[in-house]
Amino acid sequence: MRVTLEHVARGDGRLTHDLSDDDKGPQDACGVFGVWAPGEEVAKLTYFGLYALQHRGQESAGIATSDGQSILVYKDMGLVSQVFDESSLSSLRGHLAIGHTRYSTTGGSTWENAQPTLGGSDRGTVALAHNGNLINTAELRTLVDERLGGRAARGELARGNTSDTALVTALLSENPDQPLEETALSVLPKLRGAFCFVFMDEHTLYAARDPYGVRPLALGRLERGWVVASETAALQTIGASVIREVEPGEMIAIDEYGLRTHRFAQPQTKGCVFEYVYLARPDAVINGRVVHEARVEMGRQLAREHPIDADMVIGVPESGVPAATGYAQESGIPFGQGFVKNAYVGRTFIQPSQTLRQLGIRLKLNPLEHVIKGKRLVVVDDSIVRGNTQRAQIRMLREAGAAEVHVRISSPPVKWPCFYGIDFATRAELIANGLGVEEIRASIGADSLGYISDEGMIAATEQPAAQLCSACFTGDYPIALPEDGRIGKHVLETLPIEVRTGHDSSIDLDPADRRQDADGVSLGVSGGAENALLQP
């Protein structure tokens, strides 16, 4: 058996949507892709599949392929188009492949933590890509250490990988005398949290989704094979027909004998509502609902819940535009383009100078002065995290001559962090955690502010409320967080660690320790799963 791991130094892994590290929006979950298709150029299919999933992660990208004899992994920091070229893709030969585009949730943004991860022994190899976040990472690390029995860690863990994915890879590799399929069915029930896996050995492609189905995972069919991907849009990009979603608690195996499925846990569906609000592509279909249609309906509901007398509705590109369209349709106020977006800034390794930082969002968005001058505007966006971005937008609009600026948000106030695959700000930094709606309105400088209700948002998804996770809005976490508090993005980089347990919203910081925004407005106090909330 031959295993090759290639690394070409390219970027520093500091890609960002934002000009300032102090004003990050919600960071997307990862994207995974897998294909089993003899006779096809599986590396190129995976490349274009990852390209369609690029919005789900911009820190690193990787592809693993197998020709039946050996597995080759090629990964690096950066965007899909920066990591791969014709030469690298042509070296990735075989009949099956998996791919990954990453935003870090557990484990920092380093080359060692890029995926797919690789493990195995002389008798077989496993490559794994993961979308989601496990919440019993510390427990799994203890399990791995126990099974090592004092022996030094091998593979990804020995190379400094501090992600939950590396732990799962180690557990899948622990029994060389047992087929990977059997090992997976014994390991998967031990995992708690949100996960969508695509993994492979030299012959077989596997896909698995956690029992809660927090993150989406879809199955597609090619003329000569099968495909799995985080979103249906990635299947359609490469010409695959969408068959169905991988069910919560289901593992699929695909090889020369066809497709077979296993149930490793009973489904307890809790799909992420934020996929409908922001994360997924508008053309994705999740549980039968087209995401774009859900966002337009959220805009209509916003207009019903928070009407205003205005001259024009504008959406903040790109995620606010569908909801703005719905608001305009329902209210009868004309829809217009108030911002021009530069599609190429915010996807670079070059950090802006201090002068450009002071210009702030103008590098990404510029107001159309001749369109908005003298107008009473309704500005629709998907969420408010810290409030700095909205404050800068409103300032620009007023400078361009807007008479009034009324802000409408197509999700409820974000008050709690996510432990299932989205990297929000810490709770202490979430503006809605410490301020009421009227205080937030004053802080961002809007003439009025309206958030959609929980009920209105959920109704727009056309999903039963009992089958959705809205913990970032309500603090009601459907998958119980560890009572010892060992959770957070850098948990494996900081163990052993003593921390306070969560769920106590009365926990407060000393007033001197409270974070403040640029205008001196408190961003709220800490609380909830306290230890994890202090992580970057």
Side-chain angles (χ1 to χ4, degrees), residues 400-475:
E404 298 175 9
V405 181
H406 303 275
V407 175
R408 298 294 181 264
I409 304 298
S410 61
S411 63
V414 177
K415 296 183 178 181
W416 299 84
C418 175
F419 300 105
Y420 308 140
I422 311 173
D423 190 17
F424 281 113
T426 63
R427 192 170 186 226
E429 296 169 311
L430 295 172
I431 190 170
N433 178 45
L435 302 180
V437 173
E438 178 58 24
E439 293 170 304
I440 297 171
R441 181 207 63 76
S443 174
I444 64 177
D447 290 290
S448 71
L449 171 63
Y451 290 89
I452 195 173
S453 64
D454 290 339
E455 297 78 12
M457 173 188 63
I458 290 172
T461 70
E462 296 186 349
Q463 309 300 312
Q467 295 185 11
L468 288 173
C469 172
S470 56
C472 54
F473 306 118
T474 65

Side-chain angles (χ1 to χ4, degrees), residues 498-509:
E498 289 187 8
V499 291
R500 289 184 285 177
T501 58
H503 314 300
D504 184 1
S505 59
S506 66
I507 296 174
D508 201 349
L509 291 176

Side-chain angles (χ1 to χ4, degrees), residues 306-312 327 333 376-378 404 406 408:
H306 299 285
I308 195 72
D309 188 16
D311 302 312
M312 185 170 68
Y327 194 102
I333 302 171
R376 298 169 299 169
L377 303 177
V378 179
E404 298 175 9
H406 303 275
R408 298 294 181 264

